[in-house]
Amino acid sequence: MTPSSPRKIPVHLLVASLLFSAKTASFTFRQTRSTVMTSTARRSSRLQKRSLVSNVNDATTTSNQYGSMKVAELRALLRQRGLAVSGVKSVLVERLTSTSATKLPSTINNDDTQAVINPQPKVKRARKKSALESIPQSKTPSQAPSAVDCLPRTRELQLQFAHKDSDTNLAVIGVDEAGRGPLAGPVVAAAAIVPTNIAGIVDSKKITKEEERERLYEELIACPDIRYAVAVVSAQRIDEINILQATLEGMRMAVEGVMSIDSEKKQDNEGNNNVASAERNDVSYVITGGGGTINKAADESTKSNNKSCSYHALIDGNKVPKEMPCPSESLVKGDGREYSIGAASILAKVTRDRLMHEYDKKYPEFNLSQHKGYPTAAHMSAVREFGASPIHRRTFAPLKHMEFDDDGKIIG
């Protein structure tokens, strides 16, 4: 048996074997290099972890230091570093801790701490004064009361400031009324020039005690430099032209009365002709007061500087009467905003209340002193029982729906 000859390896298998060996060697080399690199990376990572642990310990220390500070102090430090200051305390601490690499708490010097604890106060910009505020005010207590003492003179001062370069002296008249709503009695309008400030002058409706209104009324009319006029418009006139027109008419009459106090035609307005009384049967009339020696002295100074006197009326409400004798303007709720109108409201209210007390003596069955003519339940019950008196307003409901005989008794 003859020995077999060695098998020949095909060339393509030999080439494939060589290529496989080369690839294996290359893979082994790469694997070895990767292992070396991984070992180096691990060593570097361990070093980084050690550094990180150290930094974390430092950061923990930093966080603890920041955590013991107040929010205002943290925000002050953030402002110094140009960082945002919004967020809760934990966010502020984290924001400061993240920047500890550039500025650690250990670098916070005493000056920074002092600046945080005692921050510099903000400098407020000076507000520019308005034209009204630039008006020089009197330093005397009677001429410069606080806002709590009495109403301000806001519009009055504005008008006088605007009028300062004029060739006349300006007097501002406050105008108000009392008694538009009652079922009985007159409507009363008052106009007043009151240069003196009196503590307690506010809207008469806010003064609930009648004794307090009486006291302020007496103080007002006792002022030597006051000028005032009160117009009384009867129920008869109210029924003729309606309550609104009667009120506006009374306001106009009162302003005319104030402006004519010093005129010769008013010199005879004295005695019984210058008193509001329940005994007067006038459809409407005006009483005046004031214009004493101080006003005469003021008139002398007016003559010396060749300036005459002009007037401007401030009227409570939203309507200005027709044919006013001077420039006028309305102020909604002016009796609670302007001193002169508040003073006029007290003069009107007290005058009417006094009249109703007198009417109560003439018509005691209606108890007018208690309700002042307003349509309370007791008042309406008395009307149904006794009818209507001569001072009842027949055009007011429910009286306008009733029929009366000549004696005021209800028919039917």
Side-chain angles (χ1 to χ4, degrees):
M1 184 174 179
T2 58
S4 57
S5 58
R7 297 177 60 181
K8 294 181 178 180
I9 300 175
V11 176
H12 67 280
L13 292 177
L14 181 59
V15 171
S17 177
L18 291 173
L19 291 174
F20 177 78
S21 299
K23 290 181 178 181
T24 302
S26 176
F27 173 77
T28 303
F29 174 76
R30 288 197 303 269
Q31 188 175 17
T32 302
R33 186 180 64 176
S34 176
T35 301
V36 173
M37 293 179 63
T38 301
S39 177
T40 303
R42 287 176 180 174
R43 188 181 301 109
S44 176
S45 177
R46 285 195 296 270
L47 293 176
Q48 290 179 358
K49 286 182 179 180
R50 291 173 185 173
S51 177
L52 181 61
V53 169
S54 177
N55 290 339
V56 167
N57 292 334
D58 293 340
T60 301
T61 304
T62 301
S63 178
N64 291 337
Q65 291 182 7
Y66 286 135
S68 62
M69 299 174 68
K70 296 181 180 181
V71 174
E73 298 172 352
L74 295 173
R75 286 178 176 167
L77 285 176
L78 287 169
R79 289 192 188 97
Q80 291 179 357
R81 301 185 185 185
L83 300 175
V85 296
S86 60
V88 296
K89 184 175 181 179
S90 59
V91 175
L92 302 180
V93 171
E94 182 179 357
R95 195 172 295 150
L96 285 168
T97 304
S98 64
T99 61
S100 60
T102 56
K103 187 171 184 178
L104 292 174
S106 59
T107 63
I108 301 177
N109 54 35
N110 293 333
D111 295 338
D112 293 338
T113 305
Q114 187 67 21
V116 171
I117 297 175
N118 299 316
Q120 293 295 326
K122 295 183 179 179
V123 179
K124 294 184 178 180
R125 296 177 59 185
R127 184 173 63 87
K128 185 177 180 181
K129 291 186 178 181
S130 64
L132 176 60
E133 293 173 330
S134 63
I135 301 174
Q137 301 292 327
S138 172
K139 295 183 180 180
T140 59
S142 62
Q143 294 294 330
S146 65
V148 178
D149 293 331
C150 62
L151 291 172
R153 297 176 180 267
T154 306
R155 184 57 182 154
E156 179 179 346
L157 291 176
Q158 289 174 345
L159 290 168
Q160 290 178 345
F161 182 74
H163 199 79
K164 65 177 183 177
D165 296 328
S166 176
D167 56 354
T168 60
N169 292 322
L170 181 66
V172 178
I173 306 172
V175 186
D176 199 8
E177 52 75 29
R180 288 185 63 175
L183 195 64
V187 61
V188 176
I193 302 173
V194 191
T196 302
N197 287 336
I198 298 175
I201 297 297
V202 295
D203 179 9
S204 63
K205 293 187 290 295
K206 296 181 180 179
I207 306 175
T208 57
K209 293 183 179 180
E210 189 170 351
E211 298 80 5
E212 181 66 13
R213 292 195 298 269
E214 286 281 348
R215 182 187 66 80
L216 291 171
Y217 177 91
E218 294 297 334
E219 286 192 36
L220 278 169
I221 64 174
C223 289
D225 52 355
I226 189 177
R227 300 187 184 191
Y228 70 93
V230 179
V232 180
V233 183
S234 66
Q236 177 185 347
R237 183 61 174 166
I238 293 172
D239 289 338
E240 289 177 0
I241 61 175
N242 75 50
I243 183 61
L244 174 60
Q245 296 305 319
T247 301
L248 297 176
E249 181 178 84
M251 289 179 168
R252 176 180 54 78
M253 293 168 58
V255 172
E256 290 175 344
V258 168
M259 294 176 60
S260 60
I261 283 178
D262 293 329
S263 64
E264 293 181 359
K265 64 181 180 180
K266 287 294 180 180
Q267 295 302 319
D268 60 345
N269 194 12
E270 299 177 353
N272 294 332
N273 291 330
N274 198 36
V275 177
S277 172
E279 301 300 325
R280 296 186 65 163
N281 297 320
D282 311 59
V283 174
S284 58
Y285 58 92
V286 178
I287 62 172
T288 60
T293 56
I294 290 183
N295 280 328
K296 291 181 180 179
D299 291 342
E300 293 298 328
S301 64
T302 297
K303 293 177 183 178
S304 64
N305 59 22
N306 296 323
K307 282 191 175 185
S308 59
C309 186
S310 60
Y311 300 90
H312 190 103
L314 299 178
I315 301 172
D316 180 53
N318 59 359
K319 295 183 183 297
V320 175
K322 296 179 181 179
E323 301 178 357
M324 287 292 289
C326 66
S328 307
E329 63 182 90
S330 61
L331 273 73
V332 176
K333 296 183 180 179
D335 51 3
R337 296 166 52 190
E338 198 68 29
Y339 178 86
S340 60
I341 300 179
S345 73
I346 293 175
L347 294 174
K349 175 65 175 173
V350 173
T351 300
R352 188 180 187 280
D353 286 353
R354 290 181 176 182
L355 284 172
M356 297 310 293
H357 284 294
E358 293 185 27
Y359 282 124
D360 181 64
K361 296 177 182 179
K362 295 184 67 173
Y363 312 106
E365 63 271 21
F366 297 103
N367 198 14
L368 295 172
S369 290
Q370 182 178 0
H371 49 69
K372 305 300 188 296
Y374 282 88
T376 63
H379 187 185
M380 294 309 304
S381 176
V383 169
R384 284 189 290 268
E385 181 178 356
F386 302 106
S389 71
I391 66 169
H392 277 88
R393 305 172 184 177
R394 306 299 177 92
T395 55
F396 275 43
L399 298 184
K400 66 179 181 179
H401 304 301
M402 302 177 181
E403 187 176 356
F404 301 92
D405 59 18
D406 294 338
D407 296 328
K409 300 294 184 180
I410 299 176
I411 300 175

